[in-house]
Amino acid sequence: MAQRAQTGSVRLSRGLLLLWALLWTGLCQAGAEVEGFTQDARTSPPVAVFNWTAQLVEETYTNITQKCWEFFVDLMRNVTAPELCEWKVISRPYSLLQACLEGWADHLRYGYPNALAERYIFQSHHRYFHNCTLEHQVYFDPPEDVLLAMIIAPICLIPFLVTLVIWRSKDGKAQP
């Protein structure tokens, strides 16, 4: 078990380094389209101005999310079938996928949650976690409108029943 954990951490370190290198080179290549140079006449050297159109941001985010997914799949190769439903085992790869998708969306100002990120999250559930079931049934509160009806109905029924009892008792005749 210790050998497996050590191998996993080495693979994780190499994987993170590889992911960082791939993403960095991808961003450098994506930003290679330079619209022009601007220069402050006083002190600044020429600065490249990038035209980050929505299409370019979306394309960049699409490429990055694919790398996030590939990294997640690589991490999940170390997880055996019986361990797929153990949160202690899958929480790290799952959290890294979510952090990668959210972090790059924030970095690119793309907006999160978004359809592409949701697709990868759903894909992870469909591919890896579809056979996970809860051992104990979890009970949830009913929707607010149902809960409100269940509370108000008996409260409104009490005055009606009291009125009915008083009205029937005013008759004064003994009931057989």
Side-chain angles (χ1 to χ4, degrees):
M1 183 70 178
Q3 177 66 23
R4 183 170 175 250
Q6 184 179 10
T7 305
S9 65
V10 170
R11 286 183 130 206
L12 179 64
S13 299
R14 287 182 185 161
L16 287 173
L17 183 60
L18 178 63
L19 178 65
W20 180 80
L22 289 172
L23 293 176
W24 181 253
T25 57
L27 283 178
C28 290
Q29 290 172 0
E33 297 177 26
V34 177
E35 189 174 280
F37 287 94
T38 61
Q39 181 174 0
D40 185 0
R42 290 173 276 148
T43 58
S44 300
V47 178
V49 177
F50 298 102
N51 183 13
W52 282 91
T53 63
Q55 182 181 3
L56 181 60
V57 170
E58 186 171 348
E59 183 180 322
T60 303
Y61 186 68
T62 302
N63 293 336
I64 289 172
T65 56
Q66 181 61 37
K67 299 296 182 195
C68 293
W69 174 252
E70 290 169 3
F71 182 64
F72 173 74
V73 169
D74 188 51
L75 290 175
M76 291 302 288
R77 283 189 186 118
N78 298 327
V79 179
T80 62
E83 295 175 327
L84 280 177
C85 297
E86 293 182 33
W87 181 245
K88 292 177 192 174
V89 177
I90 62 163
S91 66
R92 185 173 182 93
Y94 189 82
S95 297
L96 287 172
L97 173 65
Q98 188 268 335
C100 184
L101 295 171
E102 184 176 0
W104 282 105
D106 289 344
H107 181 73
L108 295 171
R109 293 182 176 92
Y110 187 67
Y112 187 88
N114 56 61
L116 190 57
E118 284 181 6
R119 189 182 77 179
Y120 282 113
I121 296 294
F122 285 131
Q123 186 175 344
S124 71
H125 284 257
H126 181 70
R127 183 170 177 179
Y128 295 104
F129 314 123
H130 66 278
N131 286 332
C132 296
T133 58
L134 297 173
E135 292 178 13
H136 304 288
Q137 186 175 3
V138 177
Y139 297 104
F140 295 102
D141 288 337
E144 225 174 277
D145 54 342
V146 173
L147 186 62
L148 192 59
M150 291 173 66
I151 293 171
I152 290 178
I155 292 173
C156 293
L157 191 60
I158 291 171
F160 173 74
L161 292 175
V162 169
T163 305
L164 185 63
V165 168
I166 292 173
W167 178 65
R168 293 294 288 163
S169 67
K170 282 188 176 184
D171 190 13
K173 294 181 183 174
Q175 298 291 328

